Amino acid sequence: MTTPSGFTDRFARVNGVRLHYLIGGKGSPVVLLHGYAETGHMWRPIMPLLAQRHTVIVPDLRGAGGSAKPPAGYDKKNMAVDIYELTSSLGLDRVRIVGHDIGLMVAYAYAAQFPQAAERAVLMDAFLPGIGNWKNMWLLRDLWHFHFYGDVPLALVKGRERTYLEHFWNDFAADRKRSVPEADRRVYARAAGGHARGLRVLPQLRAGRGGLRAPGQTRLAMPVSVISGEKSGGTFLIDQVKLVATDVRGQVIAGSGHWLMEEAPKTVIPALLDFLL
């Protein structure tokens, strides 16, 4: 996997974990956080466009890609501390932060815990654990994977990471033929190979372990854009975010499933560029 033109491949030791990240461009900083079953690689289509006006930072979250995969620390509030310490180490006082899937949970936790450090936030297609009727989503039958954790599931998936990840790429798309491309699937499967421990990132969503109930007690004042797929979360996340933020712009992408960047790039990329300015 090559580093995109204009970007530098780096590592940083923050919050007790070694994070891999890419950085490039010049201007006001934008942080892009990937979701589960992907890595920072998912943002490559938009990275050079953002880099024309922004300094773009693209980490692999702990447990994913080139970042370390420790046995613990996957609650979203702690993962937000990872990112905050990374941006602080780069001398960035205020950033615009974007997150997809579990990345949005980390982005929200970042904005809620460090509001002075978040200028704008984009939350893309999942839900906020610990906020409102979140368990209505968390307990859906089709979301069994949130409860698939422990030593036995880890043993079952080890060596079969791609088989497991195919469930997400195929079943969460409106049309699996327009979902994550094969070349990208190979990148993600290779990154996950032998590292089933990264599965721990999913179950730690409950309010007591990874939920965001405490941050939710303070409403976000910065502008927040919520982007969801019509065939995925619909308006659920938009309604949730309105409970915790005062300036919310919601958009449901017609015909798209969960993989917004891959399924609807001609709509999603302009929306992101417009909001991030």
Side-chain angles (χ1 to χ4, degrees):
M1 184 170 58
T2 59
T3 302
S5 177
F7 281 79
T8 302
D9 193 302
R10 295 184 184 176
F11 290 87
R13 182 80 179 179
V14 293
N15 193 28
V17 68
R18 187 172 186 253
L19 291 187
H20 169 254
Y21 68 101
L22 299 177
I23 186 169
K26 187 176 182 180
S28 53
V30 173
V31 178
L32 304 174
L33 303 179
H34 65 87
Y36 192 66
E38 295 190 315
T39 69
H41 179 85
M42 66 162 286
W43 299 112
R44 292 193 174 215
I46 198 173
M47 287 165 59
L49 301 175
L50 284 171
Q52 294 174 16
R53 300 181 61 179
H54 301 279
T55 300
V56 183
I57 303 96
V58 187
D60 288 336
L61 297 172
R62 71 163 62 200
S67 292
K69 300 164 180 65
Y74 292 97
D75 65 272
K76 303 305 165 285
K77 288 180 283 189
N78 187 60
M79 292 173 74
V81 174
D82 293 348
I83 304 305
Y84 177 72
E85 290 196 7
L86 173 62
T87 58
S88 297
S89 74
L90 295 171
L92 305 176
D93 296 327
R94 283 173 64 80
V95 305
R96 300 165 195 194
I97 191 163
V98 182
H100 174 251
D101 187 76
I102 60 168
L104 82 80
M105 302 172 190
V106 179
Y108 168 71
Y110 182 105
Q113 292 180 102
F114 312 108
Q116 77 286 352
E119 186 175 354
R120 289 179 171 239
V122 181
L123 310 179
M124 297 171 61
D125 205 81
F127 63 94
L128 293 175
I131 303 299
N133 296 323
W134 70 285
K135 286 189 177 180
N136 291 347
M137 183 71 72
W138 184 60
L139 294 175
L140 283 176
R141 182 185 63 183
D142 291 344
L143 300 188
W144 55 266
H145 50 272
F146 283 120
H147 316 280
F148 184 72
Y149 65 96
D151 292 340
V152 172
L154 290 174
L156 290 172
V157 171
K158 187 174 182 180
R160 306 175 183 87
E161 288 84 4
R162 171 146 185 175
T163 300
Y164 181 64
L165 295 177
E166 290 282 351
H167 155 63
F168 300 95
W169 300 327
N170 293 337
D171 298 345
F172 285 16
D175 178 354
R176 66 178 60 191
K177 294 180 180 178
R178 294 192 302 110
S179 181
V180 177
E182 173 59 26
D184 292 346
R185 293 183 184 215
R186 292 174 183 170
V187 170
Y188 303 138
R190 196 159 50 243
H195 296 292
R197 179 185 288 172
L199 290 173
R200 297 177 190 272
V201 79
L202 280 178
Q204 295 191 24
L205 297 184
R206 290 166 289 185
R209 294 182 60 189
L212 303 170
R213 186 169 293 151
Q217 293 173 357
T218 302
R219 293 178 70 84
L220 302 184
M222 75 285 294
V224 181
S225 173
V226 183
I227 305 177
S228 294
E230 178 192 16
K231 306 296 184 180
S232 182
T235 62
F236 187 86
L237 179 62
I238 297 171
D239 295 337
Q240 269 196 308
V241 175
K242 287 180 179 178
L243 297 175
V244 296
T246 57
D247 184 354
V248 181
R249 300 103 186 263
Q251 183 176 4
V252 176
I253 307 300
S256 180
H258 179 66
W259 307 105
L260 294 165
M261 285 291 292
E262 293 84 359
E263 296 184 64
K266 292 182 180 180
T267 303
V268 173
I269 289 177
L272 288 172
L273 294 174
D274 181 63
F275 182 77
L276 295 170
L277 303 175

